[in-house]
Each structure stands twice: as structure tokens, then as C-alpha cells.
Amino acid sequence: MTLEQKLAQIPAQQRAYIQGEIEYVNGEWVFFDEEEEEAGLLAEWSDEEIEIFRFGRWLRGYYQHNGEIQLSGTRVLLQNGELVRFRKRLPYAYRSWLDALPEKTFFGFIEWLNKLNFSLYDCLYCYNGLLFEKRTGVNFMIFDNTELIGNVQHYYERGETNKDRFEMTFHTGNRFICTQIS
């Protein structure tokens, strides 16, 4: 199962989106990120799926560089002050790490992470030893859910059987361990 297929099967994750308003300024559409309070050109997100909030729900499509959004089967024009959002990009090493996890381990890790009030999208940094084809080692991830910062250590062995153990340490000193053997 690909990572996209795995992601489609998990429940909605908190903080999965970058959300903000758009405005037409000096002939270009500008996106104002409400969380980071930063502005950027909407065209920078043109390769990403965009969602616009209309009629009380989110409509999914792709930005067309001319102020239009291509929805399934129709195009709509953007409007000043409209609320839009994009799914957060996962860091490459983290995305590769998630993709390499066996299904049972992947879903168990996400469930454990959610129980600790973290989202899959809270990862700020990932060291992924599996990228270097190491059969045993430790991967490190830093998560921030705006209330807690957590360091996840993933101890792994790859071979005839896969072994995975996860430990999270919060900045408060609290620690949690989860063992998952695939």
C-alpha cells in the first residue's frame, strides 16, 4: 500500500492544513497564512491541491494561475477575502520514513501519536536512517503541537522480521513507550 493510500485511511488529523485568506494585490493573488501571519504568492502553491471554503464546506481543486480554481468538472473564480487552505507538506525524510513503515506499524504509530494529542502533521524534523539502508538503528523526529514539544525515537531492526519500538519524550520530561513488532 502506498503512503497516499495509507493516509487516505486514517482519520482526519489536527493541524493538517495551512489556512488563510487570499487577496488580489498588484495584479497577483496573495495568500495570508493565518497561523504564521506570513504572506506569499498563491502561485507558489500551484502544484498543490487547494481547498476553498464556499457554501459552508470545503471544495477541492487546483489553482490555474489566472485566479481560477479547477474543481472536478468546473472552474470557479477566486474572490478577495476568501478562505483557502492547503494540506501541509511533510518533510522528505519523514514522508519516506512513513512510507517505509509496515502497514500495521504505520497505523499503530498514528493511533499512538493521536492518543498523545499529536498529529501526523506536527513533525518539524526527521532523521531517517532507513534512507541509508541501515538494517538497525534509531530514527529521530521532533513534533510540536503548539502546546507540547516531543522527541520521538524509533528503534528499528529490519531483516527476516521487522521490529519497531517507539519512545516519546516531552519537553516536560514525561516519557511514553510503545512497542510494535511487525
Side-chain angles (χ1 to χ4, degrees):
M1 180 181 298
T2 68
L3 179 58
E4 296 306 321
Q5 292 169 325
K6 289 178 190 176
L7 292 174
Q9 292 187 19
I10 62 173
Q13 296 287 293
Q14 294 179 5
R15 297 170 300 282
Y17 292 93
I18 297 170
Q19 183 173 302
E21 289 186 2
I22 54 167
E23 287 185 31
Y24 195 66
V25 179
N26 296 327
E28 301 205 72
W29 286 99
V30 179
F31 172 70
F32 293 92
D33 182 339
E34 65 186 31
E35 183 178 320
E36 299 293 326
E37 297 180 3
E38 294 180 358
L41 295 177
L42 191 59
E44 293 174 9
W45 294 88
S46 62
D47 294 338
E48 305 290 322
E49 199 171 56
I50 185 174
E51 295 185 22
I52 57 175
F53 193 73
R54 287 196 179 165
F55 316 114
R57 63 189 181 105
W58 290 101
L59 305 174
R60 223 177 253 166
Y62 291 92
Y63 179 63
Q64 301 296 306
H65 291 293
N66 56 2
E68 292 182 338
I69 302 293
Q70 177 68 46
L71 302 173
S72 58
T74 187
R75 288 183 184 216
V76 296
L77 290 173
L78 292 172
Q79 300 171 11
N80 267 329
E82 195 154 39
L83 192 59
V84 299
R85 70 182 186 180
F86 303 93
R87 187 171 294 275
K88 286 183 181 173
R89 295 175 182 149
L90 300 174
Y92 174 77
Y94 180 57
R95 185 176 181 79
S96 297
W97 176 77
L98 289 169
D99 194 30
L101 288 177
E103 284 180 41
K104 181 180 176 186
T105 304
F106 172 86
F107 291 113
F109 174 73
I110 300 303
E111 183 180 333
W112 178 68
L113 201 60
N114 291 167
K115 284 180 182 175
L116 295 172
N117 296 316
F118 283 88
S119 162
L120 167 70
Y121 293 89
D122 289 335
C123 183
L124 300 177
Y125 172 79
C126 175
Y127 167 78
N128 180 0
L130 295 170
L131 287 174
F132 306 106
E133 299 181 10
K134 294 183 178 180
R135 298 180 63 78
T136 62
V138 181
N139 296 314
F140 301 96
M141 286 146 276
I142 305 292
F143 288 83
D144 182 349
N145 70 3
T146 71
E147 294 178 14
L148 289 171
I149 295 174
N151 176 38
V152 171
Q153 296 175 22
H154 169 229
Y155 299 87
Y156 66 92
E157 292 179 28
R158 295 295 182 259
E160 289 182 29
T161 61
N162 292 335
K163 294 182 181 178
D164 299 279
R165 187 181 73 147
F166 299 93
E167 181 177 318
M168 181 178 275
T169 305
F170 293 148
H171 74 279
T172 60
N174 292 340
R175 290 176 44 188
F176 299 90
I177 295 175
C178 173
T179 301
Q180 181 91 16
I181 299 176
S182 302

